[in-house]
Structures are given as structure tokens and as C-alpha cells.
Amino acid sequence: MKKAFFYEELEDKKARCNTCPRRCILEDGEIGFCGIRKNLRGKINLLTYGLPVSSSVDPIEKKPFFHFAPGTDVYSIATMGCNLRCKFCQNYSISYGWSEIEGINLSPEKVVKNAEDTGSKGIAYTYTEPTVFLEYCLDTVKKTGEKTFNLFVSNGYMTKEVAGRVGENIDGINIDLKGGKEFYGDLCDVHDDSPIYDALKILKRKGVFIEITMLIIPGFNDSEEEIRERVEWVKENLGRETPIHFSRFTPRHKMSDVPPTPVETLEKAMDIADKTGMLYVYCGNIPGHQREHTYCPECGKEVIKRRGMRVVEINFNNYGGCNNCGCEINIGGKDYMDL
Ligand code: SF4
């Protein structure tokens, strides 16, 4: 357990958690919406500190990060808990479909050691929502040296003050922009999605490397208009060099009766992003598709070839540019690669 970084004490031993935009006001002894933050005598505490329920070594491409230190492995951890209630959650049993906190004891020091021992170049806070286990993440970041990078895979639903702190501490973030306002309200129990966009702007200003995922669910967030709107926001606010991953939905949880996303729908989404002027557009969960590779925006040559989650070839020059024409490719974390 660890005292939270962002909360206010209120009268009668109540406290307000300021970690995510829900800003839960909790009575003494009460637990917040995420299930892992508790008010103890007027102070908010993180119950899952040092207790990951999941830890494994993954290729960075699995997060997905295609433009940050491509080809490296990342040590990935999650604790239980989430601040959203997505009906299509892929990790339901550890995000909010549980009754008792579980996990193994793993101090921030041990997380860093495990990352080093497994040859991982970085640590990813992922699978559930890192915002809600923030103190564990940031204490782990503090223990990492210059040889190890830190990444969030997040829903972006965090307060501005948390976005600022996260932005000062991590190297990269992938945020899932799930849909329009109605989609967030109906399927995720988020009735104001503006904090996600505010957080993205703050993270961008702080210099964090950003990639965007858009999970496309047939009949729910696959209209051309809605996709175009989100892509245009990304272009205007984060830049056309921001990688976008359109990810295929597979039936899950409360949406197990919805069919998987047709490949043509994802291709249409990619076409919209291409026409909007985005430079690095991918489709996810369709192994073998030609859009899992990175193409040079100048000469069109394949600069990174992938097969599924693995990089099979990198055609960079010594500076991380296109080997064919020298065009600069938007790649973060080059120092962690063997160029
Ligand atoms: S992090 Fe948890 S306790 Fe804090 S405001 Fe969000 S849901 Fe509530």
C-alpha cells in the first residue's frame, strides 16, 4: 500500500482522489470506482502498490509501439483495477471483473532488475490502466537508469495534473482513442471524454512520444465521419507524423455477439487516415497484412518489415533515416536500438 500522489483531504475524514477525472469523493474506509484506491482516515492509498497481477516480456510491437525502439523487448506489468468499464474489455478479469485484489510481491527495484535480467530495453505499464496504479509506475520509473525506457499503454483518462507528472517521467505513451462522445458514454461509462484530449495535448507539450490506437468495432465506431473526425484531431493536435493503429475487434466480454471487424472496414479507415495526410498508418490484429510494415513517406520503400508482432528487417541508415532515400522517419528511442 502507498499514499496517493494526487488527492485532497476534506472534512470528516473524507478525501477526494484527483488521479483520474472521476475525482471520487470517498468516506473514511471507502474504495474508489477503480477498485484499488481506498480512503484511510482522510488519506487516499493505492492498494495494489508492488502487487502486479501480470508480468511478462513482450515485443514492443505488441503494445502496440511501432515507432519507439522497434524490435526491442519490454518488461510489461499491470496491477488489477481500471477507471473505465468498457463492455468490450479484452482484460476484463484483471481490470474490473474481480472481487479480491491479487498479485505477487514485486517492488519497483525488482521490476527494474527483472527487466534488466530478461534483456528488456524498457518497461511497459500496460494490460490494465496505469493511471490507476500511478504511484507504482512512477516509483518504478525513478529506479530505472538511463539504459531503460518507460512506456504507458493507456486509455488517457487522467487529470491534467497527472498528465503533467506522467509527461515529465515517461518516454512514450500509446493512447486508445476509442470513439466519439456517445461511444464513451454508452460503452465505457465515461460521460465526458474531453480530459482524454486534454491529456494528449499536455503529453505532447511535455515531449512524450505518442502513438494512437483506434479499436474499430463494427456498427459502433466504424462510421467514416467519426473516424475522420478523430484522425483530423490527431493530425491537428499531435502532428501527421503520429503513428495510428486501427485495430481489429474480436468478440469479447459483454460484446461477444458482435462479429469481428471486417478487413475492408479497417482498410477504409486506413484510407481515410492516408487521405487526411497521416504518414504512418497501420492495421492491427491482422497478421500478414501489408500495412503491418512501415513505409518511407518519401520514396515508399519498406523501412521496417514486420511479421505479426515481430520486426524481421530494419532498413535504416546510421541516423535512423530511410536507407534508400535518407528521409527522416519519426522514430523515438533510437538510443535503445543497435543502428
Ligand atoms: S483513480 Fe480511482 S479512486 Fe481515483 S478518481 Fe479515478 S476511479 Fe476514483
Side-chain angles (χ1 to χ4, degrees):
M1 196 156 69
K2 166 107 182 182
K3 194 145 73 82
F5 292 159
F6 294 89
Y7 74 96
E8 289 161 70
E9 291 187 38
L10 305 172
E11 76 286 352
D12 301 329
K13 295 199 181 117
K14 286 188 205 161
R16 178 190 289 118
C17 176
N18 290 325
T19 310
C20 90
R22 293 197 189 273
R23 297 196 192 264
C24 299
I25 294 178
L26 305 175
E27 301 274 350
D28 186 13
E30 201 181 351
I31 291 176
F33 181 92
C34 57
I36 60 168
R37 291 177 175 269
K38 186 173 185 176
N39 177 0
L40 290 171
R41 292 175 296 283
K43 295 176 178 25
I44 305 274
N45 288 268
L46 171 62
L47 302 174
T48 60
Y49 188 89
L51 281 179
V53 66
S54 186
S55 60
S56 61
V57 178
D58 292 328
I60 197 166
E61 284 71 25
K62 190 177 171 189
K63 304 292 107 192
F65 275 94
F66 277 16
H67 283 244
F68 193 94
T72 57
D73 281 339
V74 284
Y75 189 71
S76 305
I77 58 165
T79 81
M80 289 175 139
C82 191
N83 53 353
L84 266 57
R85 291 291 179 268
C86 301
K87 291 182 176 164
F88 48 88
C89 183
Q90 312 276 307
N91 291 317
Y92 167 72
S93 63
I94 56 171
S95 58
Y96 67 94
W98 48 272
S99 50
E100 245 179 66
I101 289 174
E102 287 171 27
I104 53 157
N105 279 309
L106 209 61
S107 65
E109 292 83 356
K110 191 78 178 58
V111 173
V112 175
K113 183 158 188 329
N114 285 359
E116 288 168 1
D117 290 352
T118 54
S120 304
K121 294 279 171 81
I123 299 169
Y125 309 90
T126 177
Y127 306 130
T128 58
E129 175 49 45
T131 304
V132 299
F133 61 96
L134 182 78
E135 293 74 12
Y136 185 33
C137 303
L138 295 186
D139 280 2
T140 305
V141 171
K142 248 194 244 162
K143 302 287 175 195
T144 53
E146 294 206 330
K147 279 197 218 142
T148 309
F149 57 79
N150 290 276
L151 305 173
F152 267 34
V153 181
S154 170
N155 58 36
Y157 194 56
M158 57 184 81
T159 57
K160 286 184 184 174
E161 51 270 41
V162 167
R165 182 76 69 88
V166 168
E168 282 154 16
N169 283 280
I170 62 159
D171 300 286
I173 191 162
N174 185 315
I175 289 187
D176 189 3
L177 277 184
K178 296 174 192 285
K181 260 192 187 349
E182 260 181 47
F183 181 95
Y184 273 107
D186 294 347
L187 299 184
C188 308
D189 203 354
V190 165
H191 300 282
D192 175 14
D193 60 354
S194 64
I196 299 168
Y197 294 92
D198 292 341
L200 271 167
K201 287 189 204 164
I202 293 168
L203 292 160
K204 175 78 181 170
R205 269 205 305 277
K206 296 277 181 186
V208 175
F209 193 91
I210 299 174
E211 302 205 16
I212 296 292
T213 295
M214 295 185 194
L215 175 72
I216 305 292
I217 308 180
F220 289 88
N221 59 2
D222 59 349
S223 83
E224 289 188 21
E225 198 186 346
E226 200 179 295
I227 292 170
R228 187 170 298 109
E229 206 176 296
R230 277 183 290 156
V231 169
E232 277 171 0
W233 188 93
V234 171
K235 185 184 165 197
E236 243 166 68
N237 294 279
L238 308 178
R240 62 201 291 254
E241 69 285 1
T242 308
I244 297 187
H245 305 260
F246 291 104
S247 192
R248 183 182 213 194
F249 165 82
T250 46
R252 282 289 153 87
H253 187 37
K254 290 182 184 159
M255 295 179 72
S256 51
D257 54 342
V258 177
T261 321
V263 177
E264 307 80 67
T265 306
L266 293 167
E267 287 174 341
K268 214 181 280 171
M270 287 190 285
D271 193 46
I272 291 169
D274 290 341
K275 287 189 174 133
T276 307
M278 297 306 294
L279 298 179
Y280 306 104
V281 180
Y282 301 98
C283 62
N285 297 342
I286 307 183
H289 196 284
Q290 56 173 2
R291 297 298 292 263
E292 66 186 5
H293 310 306
T294 300
Y295 299 92
C296 171
E298 203 58 50
C299 70
K301 286 270 183 215
E302 279 171 359
V303 284
I304 306 176
K305 268 193 191 174
R306 301 180 181 83
R307 193 162 300 129
M309 302 295 178
R310 287 283 176 195
V311 166
V312 291
E313 199 178 310
I314 296 185
N315 297 313
F316 285 170
N317 59 24
N318 294 342
Y319 308 103
C322 170
N323 211 5
N324 183 52
C325 71
C327 167
E328 198 185 326
I329 309 293
N330 180 30
I331 297 287
K334 282 182 195 160
D335 294 348
Y336 303 99
M337 300 169 65
D338 306 317
L339 289 173

